[in-house]
Amino acid sequence: MQRYDIIGDIHGCNLTLAKLLATLGYRQHADGIYRHADRKIIFLGDFIDRGPGQREVISVVKPMIEAGSALSVMGNHEYNAIAYATVDEVTGTHLRPHIDKNRKQHQA
């Protein structure tokens, strides 16, 4: 029977994520990917925004998913980032407006 750990709302807090993975018994292997001997993680999205280590969080989570040691659901913060970067083919405007509030949120 497969067992899972569930983690949500990391929000760019890469150091907290690393501590949590270690606490849960996940070890970083020679290929750089965190794995557990008999469990997988289900990430509940919101990897980005707020914390200083957004890219670092993605660099940990993405390889785990690709290697099969984790699963993921996209959070609203990822959805907003995609909408911010996507132009509507009909209107020619971004799906998420490029106003100051949104620009600051997606700057990192």
Side-chain angles (χ1 to χ4, degrees):
M1 176 173 79
Q2 181 66 58
R3 296 184 321 160
Y4 296 95
D5 296 304
I6 298 173
I7 299 175
D9 297 290
I10 300 166
H11 288 291
C13 296
N14 61 308
L15 299 178
T16 303
L17 175 60
K19 288 178 188 175
L20 180 57
L21 290 173
T23 300
L24 292 172
Y26 289 80
R27 300 292 174 249
Q28 192 171 23
H29 292 249
D31 59 4
I33 299 171
Y34 286 86
R35 293 182 176 87
H36 193 282
D38 63 352
R39 296 196 316 261
K40 290 184 181 183
I41 291 179
I42 300 175
F43 289 108
L44 300 181
D46 291 349
F47 303 108
I48 61 172
D49 293 337
R50 299 189 186 115
Q54 297 178 54
R55 291 178 190 263
E56 292 84 353
V57 166
I58 299 301
S59 72
V60 168
V61 170
K62 187 174 184 278
M64 288 181 72
I65 295 165
E66 291 171 344
S69 61
L71 301 168
S72 175
V73 176
M74 180 171 45
N76 64 306
H77 289 263
E78 288 79 41
Y79 178 82
N80 289 339
I82 291 168
Y84 184 82
T86 303
V87 175
D88 185 311
E89 293 178 11
V90 176
T91 65
T93 61
H94 287 90
L95 296 177
R96 186 159 204 225
H98 283 207
I99 58 175
D100 282 342
K101 173 188 159 276
N102 295 344
R103 200 171 357 271
K104 288 177 186 174
Q105 183 179 16
H106 299 295
Q107 186 173 7

